[in-house]
Amino acid sequence: MGMSHRIAKLLAGATLLWAPVAALDARAPSRTTAKPAQGADARFRALSEAEYRWRIDQNAADEDSGSAGSRQLPDVGPAAQAARLARWEATAKALATIDPQGLSPDVRIDYMVYRGQIDALLAAQRFRDYEKPLNADTSFWGNLAGWARGSFTRESQYRDYIAMLRALPRYFDQQIGNMQAGLARGFTPPRVTLKGRDIGVAQVVDAGTGEDQPFYAPFRTMPANMAPATVAALRAEAMAAIRDGVIPAHRKLLNFLRNDYMPKAQISTAAYDLPDGKAYYRSKIREYVTADMTPEQVHAIGLSEMQRIRGRMDAVMKEVKFQGDFAAFLTFLRTDPQFYAKTPQELLDWAAWFAKSFDGVASDWFGRLPRSRFAIKPVPADLAPFYTAGRGGTGIYLVNTYNLPSRALYALPALTLHESAPGHAFQMPLAAENKALPAFRRDSYLSAYGEGWALYCEALGEDMGLYKTPYERFGMLSYQAWRAARLVVDTGIHAMGWSREKAQAYLHDNTALSDHEIETEVDRYIAWPGQALSYYMGQLAFQRARAKAETALGPKFNIRAWHDAMLQLGYVPLPVIEARTDRFIAEGGKGPYPEEE
């Protein structure tokens, strides 16, 4: 999973229904050769650009903000939520007056992408998702931790940060109010997934006003060229804001979580049991799969893919001449010390080695490489116990070094290809650097595309020869099975009456994931309905499109050119992947960049 679990639940989106795929002309010219926008194009541009600027202004600081981006905490109170609903309803109404067939081919794709975002944002607003601002993976208070880990270089950045600290009590009060409203109507994460979610809040309270306070971190080391008087004044202002606002706000939130929210959260793990739960879960399938599918259809695809992958896993087991059944092989992989790092640094070192191994073959598989580089760092200690094995994005690949016996080295190559390069830390900066695209295609993370690409990259590692042992290949297959199993488990939990224990057992019996990872993963699916479906459905779209191009073009197929064509898209719904591939075929396999010609 990429670092997409930010307020992007506000920014990102997918379409409610991507039926008009035929409207995409596979023979359309590239964006650089398209005719200038005319009447309908201009109307759409004015509408989308104005709304997107407004939408960005609604954004908050989060774990990806670092030292750039918005320096404000949004208004999330009732009046602001009503204003968002009204704005997106008006936008949807205006979009309905624009005929996509009257748009130029490139703008027609922009229209489809944008319409999907508005549909998803509007659905989330109508279901009042803002009344549940946390899940087993992320929370509104945890998202602010990214600012505390930020690195500032200018006085203005420090002052913006202090302003955020002063606004934090108001923001927390609004979020608590939203959570109280959700609690009153039974719209909360399942109680079982909230265990331990108060740890990060308690750590802020317990740290007090000393220099160990997490929110004081940017002030411990300040630029050497800053005037001493300015440094002293900024530090004093920050400490006052922490003492008078940040700590009391966290103490209030902690009391609310422990005494009201966590004990009274819903017991059921199924989205179907939420208010209007069946419609809510279907909206999440549409959002995260970018297609209008039933839970039963998704479930069936998962079962079929699991059977196919299991056949390949059995073949690897025979290749290494393991004496025993599949369950015994999984036990061997989960318990043999040879497969596990002894220290956190050893795990980080192996991750760096695998990331660098891709660099050695990158130019053979990709024509356009991102300018952005990425760092490899451990997951922060307060998040690690319930965090995923890794997380990647622009400039960062986080590796979870907590509970080393659950972090198998044979799975690390697949994880690294997914989270670093050519996965999230490769695709995300390429999208951001593509200034030919409108901002809502560069910056608004679309899970089906982004996660589908990253999972495709895991399988691509086999083509690239990066899995050096049968065990590493099995690790990749186990990860593939894990994502295919999500189609089974997510729909099973939320629509088919599966218990938490049944979901855990399914992953235990069909993947090599450790029991700790299985527990944290299942709780994530329980608390975040539908999101887990995006990975494998997205990968299938990329694999089908590539196979289509390879068959149609034969010896003319150029994998570098096709990869570049896919990565040039920014974030798009899955049908656009096939449509862009059709154009790629029609143009004889020509890539989007001159150096490929």
Side-chain angles (χ1 to χ4, degrees), residues 22 148 221 229 231-232 234 239 243 262 298 316 378 384 433 530 552 582 594:
T221 302
V231 168
L234 290 172
M239 194 57 77
R243 180 191 64 236
M262 295 167 67
V298 175
V316 174
E433 293 165 11
D582 288 343

Side-chain angles (χ1 to χ4, degrees), residues 127-129 131-132 134 182-191 193 261 264-284 493-495 525-530:
F127 283 110
R128 308 209 302 269
D129 262 352
E131 291 181 355
K132 185 160 60 84
L134 75 158
L183 187 63
R185 68 186 182 99
F187 189 70
T188 71
R191 188 179 306 175
T193 68
Y261 197 74
K264 299 174 185 176
Q266 62 154 334
I267 296 174
S268 172
T269 58
Y272 266 27
D273 291 335
L274 292 170
D276 201 13
K278 290 186 178 180
Y280 177 72
Y281 186 55
R282 284 292 296 272
S283 79
K284 291 305 173 186
I493 290 168
H494 293 297
Y525 312 151
I526 288 171
W528 199 350

Side-chain angles (χ1 to χ4, degrees), residues 1-4 6 64 370 372 392-396 419-420 422-434 442-443 445 449-451 453 567 570-571:
M1 175 185 345
M3 298 178 74
S4 55
R6 42 177 99 86
D64 293 337
S372 174
T394 302
I396 188 69
E419 302 294 353
S420 66
H424 291 311
F426 189 93
Q427 176 269 321
M428 293 175 76
L430 277 175
E433 293 165 11
N434 188 356
R442 296 196 308 266
D443 305 329
Y445 192 83
Y449 176 94
E451 300 300 343
W453 170 260
L567 292 171
Y571 297 102

Side-chain angles (χ1 to χ4, degrees), residues 202-497:
Q203 287 175 336
V204 172
V205 175
D206 294 343
T209 56
E211 291 199 1
D212 290 337
Q213 166 61 237
F215 280 94
Y216 188 75
F219 296 89
R220 293 173 195 153
T221 302
M222 297 178 68
N225 60 354
M226 191 173 287
T230 301
V231 168
L234 290 172
R235 283 175 169 165
E237 289 182 45
M239 194 57 77
I242 290 169
R243 180 191 64 236
D244 299 336
V246 172
I247 293 177
H250 278 77
R251 186 178 294 115
K252 180 177 180 180
L253 175 61
L254 186 63
N255 289 334
F256 171 68
L257 289 172
R258 289 179 171 174
N259 299 325
D260 295 311
Y261 197 74
M262 295 167 67
K264 299 174 185 176
Q266 62 154 334
I267 296 174
S268 172
T269 58
Y272 266 27
D273 291 335
L274 292 170
D276 201 13
K278 290 186 178 180
Y280 177 72
Y281 186 55
R282 284 292 296 272
S283 79
K284 291 305 173 186
I285 293 177
R286 290 191 291 266
E287 176 179 348
Y288 287 113
V289 178
T290 64
D292 194 10
M293 301 177 69
T294 66
E296 292 75 18
Q297 288 172 322
V298 175
H299 194 85
I301 292 172
L303 290 173
S304 175
E305 286 298 302
M306 284 296 293
Q307 184 177 12
R308 182 186 64 80
I309 297 167
R310 174 61 180 273
R312 292 200 62 196
M313 295 168 80
D314 288 341
V316 174
M317 189 173 69
K318 292 178 182 177
E319 182 182 349
V320 298
K321 297 179 172 58
F322 182 80
Q323 300 300 311
D325 62 12
F326 188 73
F329 188 54
L330 294 184
T331 299
F332 164 66
L333 292 173
R334 289 184 177 118
T335 58
D336 195 297
Q338 69 174 302
F339 298 125
Y340 296 90
K342 303 300 187 295
T343 67
Q345 187 60 50
E346 183 184 356
L347 187 66
L348 293 170
D349 290 348
W350 275 106
W353 171 263
F354 290 129
K356 199 61 184 174
S357 295
F358 167 72
D359 282 354
V361 299
S363 61
D364 295 332
W365 296 86
F366 299 89
R368 177 64 59 93
L369 306 180
R371 292 190 295 273
S372 174
R373 311 302 296 164
F374 62 89
I376 299 176
K377 297 181 179 180
V379 173
D382 61 322
L383 297 177
F386 41 82
Y387 210 67
T388 55
R391 187 71 54 88
T394 302
I396 188 69
Y397 169 29
L398 290 173
V399 177
N400 198 334
T401 58
Y402 173 83
N403 193 356
L404 288 175
S406 70
R407 314 298 176 193
L409 292 175
Y410 59 78
L412 195 58
L415 177 70
T416 301
L417 292 172
H418 181 117
E419 302 294 353
S420 66
H424 291 311
F426 189 93
Q427 176 269 321
M428 293 175 76
L430 277 175
E433 293 165 11
N434 188 356
K435 302 306 181 183
L437 296 175
F440 63 81
R441 280 178 64 179
R442 296 196 308 266
D443 305 329
S444 291
Y445 192 83
L446 185 55
S447 189
Y449 176 94
E451 300 300 343
W453 170 260
L455 188 52
Y456 165 81
C457 290
E458 293 181 23
L460 182 65
E462 190 169 19
D463 296 338
M464 294 188 293
L466 294 180
Y467 299 118
K468 302 301 185 183
T469 72
Y471 294 111
E472 290 180 354
R473 198 161 8 98
F474 189 91
M476 179 273 293
L477 291 170
S478 178
Y479 266 30
Q480 295 282 301
W482 167 27
R483 277 41 165 267
R486 288 175 173 179
L487 305 184
V488 179
V489 169
D490 195 282
T491 52
I493 290 168
H494 293 297
M496 298 175 183

